[in-house]
Amino acid sequence: GDSVTQMEGPVTLSEEAFLTINCTYTATGYPSLFWYVQYPGEGLQLLLKATKADDKGSNKGFEATYRKETTSFHLEKGSVQVSDSAVYFCALLSYNFNKFYFGSGTKLNVKP
Amino acid sequence: EAQVTQNPRYLITVTGKKLTVTCSQNMNHEYMSWYRQDPGLGLRQIYYSMNVEVTDKGDVPEGYKVSRKEKRNFPLILESPSPNQTSLYFCASSLRSGEGNTIYFGEGSWLTVV
């Protein structure tokens, strides 16, 4: 079945460091891919998405490119801030089966 | 403002006492679903609904029921809660399934079953 695997955390970085959170997926057909962010005590918010191969989603300095050849959707940011500290979830929308699949989440801690 | 509203936000209950967590969205979305979030397991889908009177099981439906009598509401029912249902629950909605539609999440409901 479809699934999403993302790197385990927590990830601890200093402010202005480069961020990569890896995400790979297994899916039948052509899924859409998402990154969601969860700030402490809040629900999940959409960060970015890509709906077809080679699309790049971007928002708030974060980017992720839909790579069909490597079945990946890694999240990157060139310079993280303390305010980026949150849990990040990679997600897949399985079009044929009308279901969303989430990774286990990666906690990011950014220190001043 | 586009919203998914769930209540209660926090609840402590005892084993076996029926409870309902309500979920309402104001975006005329067709697709609604419930997830539970547990440490190390991410979000797991409990039930989903494609439209009014159309519901189906997700990955972890045991111990839960849902109903979709109106488009805006999708309550989650725990007929006889047990301690292993202690979790953080999220309701979500999207315009319709597929087509890369964005999911909107509620703020979450912390449920503790003692």
Side-chain angles (χ1 to χ4, degrees):
Chain A
D2 294 4
S3 65
V4 176
T5 303
Q6 61 182 103
M7 62 188 287
E8 290 190 19
V11 173
T12 301
L13 296 172
S14 297
E15 207 164 21
E16 299 184 3
F18 184 86
L19 168 72
T20 300
I21 300 178
N22 290 337
C23 172
T24 57
Y25 68 89
T26 302
T28 303
Y30 303 96
S32 296
L33 301 172
F34 304 79
W35 277 100
Y36 278 81
V37 58
Q38 184 181 31
Y39 298 104
E42 298 183 13
L44 280 74
Q45 304 171 25
L46 177 66
L47 182 59
L48 54 84
K49 69 177 183 180
T51 58
K52 60 182 187 296
D54 300 324
D55 270 2
K56 177 186 284 188
S58 61
N59 186 26
K60 299 181 182 179
F62 290 89
E63 291 183 343
T65 301
Y66 187 161
R67 302 280 188 205
K68 194 170 188 298
E69 64 275 13
T70 55
T71 61
S72 65
F73 193 55
H74 305 321
L75 182 69
E76 297 182 335
K77 187 175 185 182
S79 177
V80 294
Q81 306 300 312
V82 173
S83 58
D84 293 327
S85 298
V87 180
Y88 292 82
F89 290 90
C90 186
L92 173 157
L93 170 59
S94 175
Y95 180 83
N96 286 347
F97 298 98
N98 306 311
K99 288 184 67 174
F100 291 93
Y101 296 87
F102 286 85
S104 56
T106 302
K107 185 172 184 179
L108 172 65
N109 296 316
V110 180
K111 297 184 180 299
Chain B
E1 181 189 352
Q3 275 188 327
V4 178
T5 304
Q6 42 181 122
N7 281 294
R9 295 287 317 281
Y10 304 92
L11 179 65
I12 300 174
T13 191
V14 296
T15 299
K17 184 176 181 182
K18 179 180 178 179
L19 69 93
T20 299
V21 186
T22 63
C23 174
S24 179
Q25 49 91 6
N26 64 358
M27 296 169 278
N28 201 36
H29 283 171
E30 293 179 0
Y31 185 93
M32 297 185 74
S33 59
W34 276 101
Y35 297 86
R36 59 178 290 174
Q37 182 180 8
D38 302 290
L41 298 175
L43 276 77
R44 294 180 292 168
Q45 191 178 54
I46 302 171
Y47 269 94
Y48 65 96
S49 169
M50 303 282 286
N51 213 325
V52 176
E53 302 291 2
V54 181
T55 64
D56 207 348
K57 296 177 180 178
D59 299 312
V60 288
E62 294 78 19
Y64 304 94
K65 285 175 56 177
V66 293
S67 68
R68 188 90 182 274
K69 293 182 169 44
E70 306 165 278
K71 201 170 189 179
R72 65 182 291 126
N73 296 323
F74 190 46
L76 179 70
I77 304 157
L78 286 72
E79 292 274 2
S80 182
S82 61
N84 65 11
Q85 292 178 296
T86 293
S87 187
L88 173 58
Y89 291 86
F90 287 102
C91 181
S93 74
S94 64
L95 183 59
R96 61 180 62 83
S97 63
E99 301 173 10
N101 279 292
T102 302
I103 326 169
Y104 295 83
F105 284 86
E107 292 185 312
S109 295
W110 284 97
L111 171 64
T112 301
V113 183
V114 298

